[in-house]
Amino acid sequence: MINRIEILRKHIDEILLNMTDAEERRCAYLHLYGVAQACALIALKRSGNTELAIMAGMLHDIYSYAKMDKKDHAHKGAVLAREILTSLQIASDTEIDMICDAIYTHSDKDAVHDDFSEILVDADVLQHCLYNPACEIMAHEKNRYEKLKREFGIE
Ligand SMILES: [Fe+2]
């Protein structure tokens, strides 16, 4: 069986290693792979598709880091992720749609999305909040963080 996560990781690393700003590069590694692991945890808990969730996590902010431009990065990132997944030939059309739809909507933390897309939105919040739980949680992430803690039995 091909290891799609490793194929994707090599491609992501090529992009990240080309980042000239060392501090941004550190943030990129931490965040993309941190979100990918949080995706795995949440997908396992909810019996979601763990492999696709990890891939979505690795790709979700790739546009911001590849182009050093955060503006509209979710929508543009969905386009870039589709290009990457298509060129690497590691996912079916249906799987590419699932991953790219999740990336497209991931910045919208207030809406409730389909089950697969919810994994990515929650993983994004979890990575931010777990970086340093002693820090104040950002207002737009508070509700999801509290829900996640309850889901994992943390009060
Ligand atoms: Fe993110």
Side-chain angles (χ1 to χ4, degrees):
M1 201 184 90
I2 57 157
N3 191 335
R4 306 197 286 180
I5 290 168
E6 278 306 290
I7 293 169
L8 183 58
R9 182 192 61 76
K10 285 195 181 107
H11 187 83
I12 302 267
D13 284 355
E14 269 173 38
I15 295 172
L16 301 188
L17 284 168
N18 272 316
M19 291 176 68
T20 47
D21 186 323
E23 176 63 15
E24 282 293 332
R25 196 185 319 125
R26 187 192 67 82
C27 290
Y29 275 111
L30 184 79
H31 185 60
L32 293 184
Y33 291 110
V35 170
Q37 290 197 330
C39 278
L41 181 71
I42 296 167
L44 286 168
K45 176 83 176 148
R46 296 179 189 169
S47 305
N49 189 319
T50 308
E51 188 185 25
L52 293 188
I54 291 169
M55 291 163 71
M58 284 162 73
L59 281 164
H60 84 285
D61 278 341
I62 195 66
Y63 184 89
S64 310
Y65 298 120
K67 313 281 182 198
M68 286 306 291
D69 179 12
K70 268 200 96 55
K71 197 170 164 282
D72 207 21
H73 76 279
H75 297 165
K76 291 174 179 167
V79 176
L80 180 57
R82 184 174 293 277
E83 283 170 19
I84 292 170
L85 291 169
T86 305
S87 72
L88 293 176
Q89 297 184 300
I90 51 169
S92 70
D93 289 347
T94 313
E95 291 172 334
I96 291 175
D97 285 345
M98 277 172 74
I99 292 171
C100 295
D101 286 354
I103 294 173
Y104 188 89
T105 54
H106 86 268
S107 289
D108 192 354
K109 304 281 190 280
D110 292 330
V112 178
H113 310 281
D114 63 78
D115 288 352
F116 182 77
S117 299
E118 277 292 300
I119 295 172
L120 179 60
V121 180
D122 280 338
D124 204 13
V125 169
L126 202 56
Q127 195 282 327
H128 290 148
C129 297
L130 293 184
Y131 177 72
N132 184 350
C135 287
E136 193 171 347
I137 304 302
M138 288 185 283
H140 72 287
E141 297 193 330
K142 253 191 187 122
N143 283 344
R144 281 184 180 271
Y145 184 49
E146 289 308 316
K147 262 188 155 163
L148 279 159
K149 283 196 289 187
R150 281 198 298 276
E151 184 178 357
F152 282 92
I154 305 160
E155 295 308 324

